[in-house]
Amino acid sequence: MMFTKRLRDGVRRGDITCSVRIWKSPRVKTGGRYRMEEGEIEVDSVESIGFPDITPELARESGFLGVLDLLKVAKHGSGEKIYLVRFHYIPPPRSKPRA
């Protein structure tokens, strides 16, 4: 799962823990881990939702200013189904200091 550059710090801090995606079918699965530039995200849930479910609160929770801001980024390809993906960030493993 890719995130726009402006959202990545919020994902790493744990401020952003969900994403609305418009796909033909789910591109991620619950329990799956997906690489970021640093660390990974692990998907906690994927649920199908409708346009009325995309509220200003959900848009802000996803790291956007509002619904229109979210919708500009959410569509991927020719998909028309809306999915709410909840996830958590897993930081990269710390390297052990050499003895």
Side-chain angles (χ1 to χ4, degrees):
M1 235 173 90
M2 301 294 293
F3 295 93
T4 62
K5 202 171 221 179
R6 70 181 188 170
L7 299 179
R8 293 177 194 158
D9 284 339
V11 170
R12 283 192 285 269
R13 284 192 310 268
D15 297 337
I16 299 172
T17 58
C18 69
S19 182
V20 174
R21 302 292 173 118
I22 302 174
W23 290 323
K24 284 185 178 183
S25 61
R27 300 283 190 255
V28 297
K29 62 182 180 176
T30 300
R33 286 190 175 188
Y34 303 91
R35 292 184 71 48
M36 287 184 55
E37 6 175 78
E38 296 175 12
E40 301 174 312
I41 61 156
E42 183 172 336
V43 175
D44 299 319
S45 65
V46 181
E47 88 181 87
S48 183
I49 63 171
F51 274 111
D53 298 313
I54 304 174
T55 62
E57 293 80 16
L58 180 59
R60 286 190 295 276
E61 187 181 350
S62 301
F64 293 94
L65 299 173
V67 173
L68 290 177
D69 189 31
L70 179 149
L71 290 175
K72 289 178 190 174
V73 176
K75 189 162 175 75
H76 297 270
S78 60
E80 295 181 3
K81 296 178 183 172
I82 306 167
Y83 298 93
L84 174 60
V85 180
R86 294 203 178 270
F87 57 86
H88 62 276
Y89 176 69
I90 301 170
R94 291 181 151 185
S95 57
K96 294 180 181 178
R98 293 186 173 186

